[in-house]
Amino acid sequence: MKRQHRWVLLVAASSTVTLASAADLETHMSKSSNWAAQAGDYANHRYSELKQINASNVGRMQVAWTMSTGVLRGHEGSPLVIGDTMYIHTPFPNNVFAVNLKDQSYKWKYEPKQDASVVPVMCCDTVNRGLAYGDGKILLQQADTTLVALDANTGKVMWSAKNGDPKIGETNTNAPHVFKDTVITGISGGEFGVRGRLIAYDLATGKKKWTAWSTGPDKEVLIDPAKTMTWTNGKMAPVGADSSIKSWKGDQWKLGGGTTWGWYAYDPKLNLVYYGTGNPGTWNPSQRPGDNKWSMTIFARDLNTGMAKWAYQMTPHDEWDYDGINEMLLVDLNIKGKQVPAVVHFDRNGFGYTLNRDTGELLVAEKYDPTVNWATKVDMKTGRPVVDKKYSPGTTGPDVNVKDICPAALGTKDQQPASYDRKSGLIMVPTNHVCMTYEPFQVEYTAGQPFVGATLTMYPTPGSHGGMGNFIAWDAAQGKIMWSKPERFSVWSGALTTAGDVVFYGTLEGYIKAVSPKDGKELWKFKTPSGIIGNVFTYEYGGKQYVGVYSGIGGWAGIGMAAGLTESTEGLGAVGGYKDLAKYTTLGGSLFIFGLPDSTGSATTALK
Amino acid sequence: MKRQHRWVLLVAASSTVTLASAADLETHMSKSSNWAAQAGDYANHRYSELKQINASNVGRMQVAWTMSTGVLRGHEGSPLVIGDTMYIHTPFPNNVFAVNLKDQSYKWKYEPKQDASVVPVMCCDTVNRGLAYGDGKILLQQADTTLVALDANTGKVMWSAKNGDPKIGETNTNAPHVFKDTVITGISGGEFGVRGRLIAYDLATGKKKWTAWSTGPDKEVLIDPAKTMTWTNGKMAPVGADSSIKSWKGDQWKLGGGTTWGWYAYDPKLNLVYYGTGNPGTWNPSQRPGDNKWSMTIFARDLNTGMAKWAYQMTPHDEWDYDGINEMLLVDLNIKGKQVPAVVHFDRNGFGYTLNRDTGELLVAEKYDPTVNWATKVDMKTGRPVVDKKYSPGTTGPDVNVKDICPAALGTKDQQPASYDRKSGLIMVPTNHVCMTYEPFQVEYTAGQPFVGATLTMYPTPGSHGGMGNFIAWDAAQGKIMWSKPERFSVWSGALTTAGDVVFYGTLEGYIKAVSPKDGKELWKFKTPSGIIGNVFTYEYGGKQYVGVYSGIGGWAGIGMAAGLTESTEGLGAVGGYKDLAKYTTLGGSLFIFGLPDSTGSATTALK
Ligand SMILES: O=C(O)c1cc(C(=O)O)c2c(n1)C(=O)C(=O)c1cc(C(=O)O)[nH]c1-2
Ligand SMILES: O=C(O)c1cc(C(=O)O)c2c(n1)C(=O)C(=O)c1cc(C(=O)O)[nH]c1-2
């Protein structure tokens, strides 16, 4: 209980000193009946205090109601629930529906007219990771890089802001994040030579507050060479002047990648925003010598100014496409007897990192899949991975096919967010268990064309259980897997932990599953119409707890189905790797809401 | 029990004297665990002997499993179930999936490559009314007029036959029907000046057996002027020579319509096939004087030769688009103390007809919605409707807007099939409750272009309950509504009656409902992801009864949503009439399977 209490405080902290707008979201997040943010809170916990549905009754859970989104292809993210209204979003064309929870009729529909030419420059399906809420507004980040604020009551556009250019491959898939009176959004296009940045807007007006580039001059990266710190020789030290520029050949940083399409977090006490940057431009490492900073980096930035307090690069000079964008979980941990305000991050590169989120100190870096082989370990002094040359396409050079690299390019985990179980203190992590061959080749940049330069194949980790995923419980203080539940396919869906001692996640075949946080034992499952890559969420309405999830296969793992591709190496190797999905599921797009049966045995809406 | 027994016999009759192929389907239909034909039998009953789900436990019914079809737009018809395999179909592009009922994985998928240019010449959405089974084959009638026989075990094409030309507006939406060793199919395109016909193929080889045109010379309509009978002056009489040709001006019969996209029936004892023909070419009646035979007609034809035994035209010289294609229900009735082998037909024109299916004699013709006003009654001597000139666009002439005609062009019932409850002897009928304005105008024929010539608006029947539909129980011997349950929208879904004293149907908002056959009282409902225009079906697997239905809004009623139309008069008036649908539902495409909970309270697949 003490741990829970602390989090409630953290979430609502300093709300009294901020504007009414910020208080609005924080008040809504503090009520467990709502699901007012994609992760339920600022800290990316995806934990709910609701416990009507618990380990002993979850086996009787039924479908309460369902809703088609009217769009096929990959459905990531989750709806939001504020009071008696649910806000649903779709993949491109990014429709938004406000649903009256009383009778599931529509309050309003927002259906943007977007130029479909954005679709072919989206690397990994036409996904959208969801809406944000704040100050009576629903925030939608459209694929065409337009950020829109809608009146939550009417669906009318209150302001909009354009933050990129699809003609040069800039698109969006990330959920916007509201932190107090600021909306934060990112950019996609690491496979098109896009230069990544995080952008902050004023929630009330849509006025741009700051842009923090991932690569380039200090004043554009919002780095203070003397004050922005990084892990150096076992301690924190200033990054120094031109830390990014110096780590690139010539002006390659201009096409440097480091895009920002993940899940950000915010600590209101420290007033810091946390997020990760993606892969450096081109997948052919020989073409871009250097550490390629600040791609593959965790940044902690001041919410008001965007200035970087600290940065940590996980995969210097990436050779595997191990984007660093995965979610940042803010948890307070007891590490070797000391209470630490930590940020935990499960990187694509297969290491689970724990850092002090205040100072940026590196505390833990351990493999969260023991079969990870591209690096033997992270050197805790330098903070750099110790790369195994056998699995280094940059060492072997272009046009050599490097075999059996684990994990594959889509990492031990991709966008699918983990959940922090505040009760057990463990983090529940949906993972991939996939390896690859990787053959880089020379590529020239052409604006709006793929800037990749590598041919990949993917397959289940050899010599393992045969499946392509695991759902694991992680102790972030120790860097240790507590249990691991094998899955036939990668778990591409976000997890939910609850006070009812039940953990939920979805599978690519389309099952939503409830398991015990103690040992991963399956307590319940249900087959939804299509594969699940959405995140499980929960809310309470009319005194009843509901659990919900989008069903709709797609994303990078499901790109073969979503885009109708059939060649093994298409989708950068995912098509061949996940070809068996077609035996189990089909494209779809719907929302499923589950609940416990009432006394008559029915979970469905009451008869009139 | 006596009544049931008789039907089992009728269904299986003479199977001993036919080929193995015919016996195959009849054996499968006789097992109530299967759903081996679209209506469950030859007689269009849509009745199941299963009764595990009954009036007292249906309230606890839950979703057992679900499956996306991967296609949006209108989902008509139902899957088939043969043993441990379910066969699923989709709207255009008409994919077929064989599903292993054990774990809902796919045995095979058939995904035809059809030219998408067929889509714009489909009048009323890209629907497909389902598959047929027979002789180890799955029969698919593609939209592009290709009839395909697939190996039920492998999905391999065994034969295919082309029966029309989309370039002149010929398409298909009907389910093929297997009657013994013959496959029967039809044609759509009444709105494109297509000349209707029914076509019979040999099930084993795909060789054409006969074509029976709806209009034209006797030898093409397969009429024997001396032997083909029709109701004349209170008794049956031969139709006489050139009965069709004479009823048209010049060679207008060549663009004469009379298409055949409905639900056919077969009586194995009489060896007769029953079906109805659609509207005559152009909706501007002044342009085509005469009775326009044999549009709007019930035909009884010999299965082997196609020769018409009798014909009955319900709406001579149609002025309202009251296609006569609705399903033919073969029931044995006691009419005024006499046992009669009857065919019952709920026509678009609002009259429920009962005829002697052996002789063709007209026995009953009564309104099954009391607000029908275009005709005061059917003259039982002539068999012709007594038209109210006030509602006759042919009388007022072109460019006059005739108001408040009831029913609207989509009839008191459209393709949504009724179900015969063998236990109560009543027929459960999903109906429309919609009126229209109708303004005809002169139109020239251009091949492949709409040949309509009328502007319509549609709206709920004025002065009634405000809704656009009713679900009714009909006594076909008396021609009497026994009860009527109002619905917000037309009930565009096919009904299912069961030995468990429960009747099922779906609504355009997306509810599947269970009601009592006694009084229409609602026993259970569940909101599926999209509107329902499919037909409810049932089967048994592993000792458990399941009830299922497709969810996917569309068809004529849902054409606004399905085709993205917004102008009120688009979709021939349906867009405006059904515009409120958008408040309640969204495009979708999935299959829902329901069952009772097991002892643990769960209806979902067992945990591994
Ligand atoms: O570099 C980029 O800008 C970028 C963007 C995205 C995206 O926006 O979805 C993905 C990736 N990269 C990527 O590397 C990746 O693995 C990935 C998976 C997914 C997904 O939604 O399943 N998106 C993306
Ligand atoms: O005249 C024709 O050939 C034709 C075809 C179809 C069809 O194939 O679906 C319909 C109609 N007419 C029609 O009049 C009609 O009301 C209708 C409704 C529907 C439907 O599936 O909802 N189809 C059709």
Side-chain angles (χ1 to χ4, degrees), chain B residues 55 421 424 426-428 470-474 481-487 501-503 505 514-524:
Chain B
D421 181 15
S424 69
L426 297 178
I427 303 181
M428 305 296 155
N470 294 296
F471 189 76
I472 69 163
W474 179 256
I481 298 170
M482 303 307 284
W483 51 257
S484 177
K485 177 172 152 39
E487 284 286 352
D501 295 314
V502 199
V503 186
Y505 65 95
V515 303
S516 165
K518 287 193 204 55
D519 51 13
K521 193 172 162 276
E522 230 171 69
L523 304 170
W524 173 86

Side-chain angles (χ1 to χ4, degrees), chain A residues 401-480:
Chain A
N401 194 357
V402 184
K403 299 220 162 64
D404 289 344
I405 306 172
C406 305
L410 34 66
T412 302
K413 200 182 78 58
D414 198 283
Q415 62 82 33
Q416 59 270 42
S419 173
Y420 174 58
D421 182 15
R422 292 184 202 154
K423 271 179 93 173
S424 69
L426 297 178
I427 304 182
M428 306 296 155
V429 198
T431 74
N432 310 326
H433 195 54
V434 183
C435 302
M436 67 174 169
T437 68
Y438 194 110
E439 181 170 337
F441 58 83
Q442 183 72 20
V443 63
E444 298 309 320
Y445 175 80
T446 310
Q449 294 299 316
F451 186 51
V452 176
T455 308
L456 280 71
T457 65
M458 295 184 190
Y459 40 87
T461 299
S464 185
H465 55 69
M468 301 177 80
N470 294 296
F471 189 75
I472 70 163
W474 179 255
D475 179 330
Q478 295 185 68
K480 211 176 125 187

Side-chain angles (χ1 to χ4, degrees), chain A residues 130-148:
Chain A
L131 308 166
Y133 171 85
D135 190 24
K137 299 179 186 70
I138 291 293
L139 285 302
L140 165 71
Q141 177 58 68
Q142 296 178 186
D144 66 0
T145 73
T146 310
L147 175 67
V148 187

Side-chain angles (χ1 to χ4, degrees), chain A residues 65 79-81 85-88 97-99 101 537 539 591 593:
Chain A
W65 57 274
L80 299 179
V81 176
T85 308
M86 182 182 285
Y87 300 93
I88 289 179
F97 306 154
V99 178
L101 286 176
F537 71 111
Y539 67 98
L591 172 68
I593 304 294

